């Protein structure tokens, strides 16, 4: 395996709990890995199936959604909707013989800045172990 | 509405495996309402096909288009200047769509992207149930507004069979016995005697049993 491989990961983070956790992590001087790019959304429930597929289409190796905990979602059911859509994308990836573990969803507490960074690192390590998205390059 | 479900991705990939340029066509009618063939689902299928192509190292162009409906020739015509440029068209409309497209564009490969299931309605978001079998002679008013043709496994018109038990149909505990529901409802409305009225045997020729059907409304034909 190419040890210099760094996966490209897209993180959809809600503007409430996940973004609050991100701010706490900045205060704690905990940095996200460079290969995780955050896309802020009003609520994790706003993220559609197509939003989750597009990063894979455009070359990302992994995607995750960060949202509120179930009992603290400002939009009530946002994180539940996100979980269902992530599960749907897992099924699509499975049907394409791509590891469904390349996509995940996490519930965050607003004050858990350290956890925000730990989740990003967890995804990086998980995707790194899987290798790049199986893409064949035409000779 | 007509309710459909997505075809398995592997099936669509198999159908289109030799194609380098595909047009995915949605429909803003019934399939949009049941979240299987609208513009959103067109985008999802197109993205999925592109990911599959990258996975296989294939060159593939997938374009997207959603018609108002695929059951009216005027809307099918909208594709006349673009369809020839594609190796295949995947239609996400009900079974009418791929057929209308095939008739209008006979030289084009047209593939169905969904499996049409039944005429029905939503019980709740994401759940639909069959309500109409298109028998051509609607008599739901004889049965308290419930249709035994669509909702009885045997389409019985005279009452429940011996398999009705606990309000459930013998084919599955998940299927309600519509005759149990009809009798219960008419009893509650004190109209049970409606079922005792003599009615002649149903004319099934107006249903699919009579062969492919056509309907002409003279006052509308130009």
């Amino acid at each position: 395996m190419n040890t210099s491989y760094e996966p490209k990961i897209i993180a959809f983070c809600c503007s409430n709990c996940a973004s609050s956790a991100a701010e706490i992590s900045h205060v704690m001087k905990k940095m996200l890995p460079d290969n995780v790019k955050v896309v802020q959304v009003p609520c994790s429930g706003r993220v559609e199936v197509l939003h989750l597929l597009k990063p894979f289409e455009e070359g990302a190796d992994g995607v995750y959604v960060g949202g509120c905990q179930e009992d603290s979602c400002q939009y009530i059911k946002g994180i539940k909707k996100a979980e269902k859509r992530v599960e749907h994308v897992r099924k699509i990836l499975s049907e394409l013989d791509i590891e469904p573990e390349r996509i995940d969803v996490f519930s965050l507490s607003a004050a858990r800045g350290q956890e925000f960074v730990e989740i990003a690192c967890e995804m990086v390590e998980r995707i790194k172990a899987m290798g790049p998205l199986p893409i064949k390059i035409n000779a | 509405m007509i309710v459909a479900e997505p075809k398995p991705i592997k099936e669509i990939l198999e159908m289109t495996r030799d194609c380098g340029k595909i047009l995915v066509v949605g429909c803003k009618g019934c399939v949009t309402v049941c979240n299987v063939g609208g513009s959103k689902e067109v985008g999802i299928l197109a993205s999925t096909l592109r990911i599959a192509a990258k996975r296989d190292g294939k060159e593939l162009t997938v374009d997207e288009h959603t018609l108002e409906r695929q059951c009216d020739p005027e809307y099918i015509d909208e594709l006349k200047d673009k369809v020839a440029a594609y190796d295949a068209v995947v239609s996400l409309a009900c079974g009418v769509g791929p057929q209308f497209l095939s008739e209008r564009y006979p030289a084009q490969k047209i593939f169905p992207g969904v499996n049409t299931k039944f005429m029905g309605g939503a019980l709740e978001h994401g759940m639909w149930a069959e309500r109409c079998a298109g028998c051509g002679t609607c008599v739901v008013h004889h049965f308290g507004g419930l249709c035994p043709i669509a909702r009885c496994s045997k389409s019985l018109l005279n009452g429940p069979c011996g398999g009705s038990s606990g309000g459930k149909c013998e084919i599955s505990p998940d299927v309600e016995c519509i005759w149990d529901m009809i009798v219960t409802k008419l009893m509650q409305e004190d109209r049970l005697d409606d079922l005792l009225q003599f009615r002649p045997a149903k004319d099934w020729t107006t249903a699919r049993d009579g062969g492919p059907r056509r309907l002409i409304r003279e006052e509308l034909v130009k």
Side-chain angles (χ1 to χ4, degrees), chain B residues 146-157:
Chain B
L146 304 169
C147 180
I149 294 165
R151 301 178 68 181
C152 173
S153 301
K154 300 175 183 175
S155 295
L156 296 173
L157 290 170

Side-chain angles (χ1 to χ4, degrees), chain B residues 82-103:
Chain B
K82 64 193 295 182
V83 76
Y86 296 93
D87 299 322
V89 175
V90 178
S91 165
L92 296 190
C94 74
V96 178
Q99 292 188 68
F100 266 37
L101 287 167
S102 294
E103 287 172 26

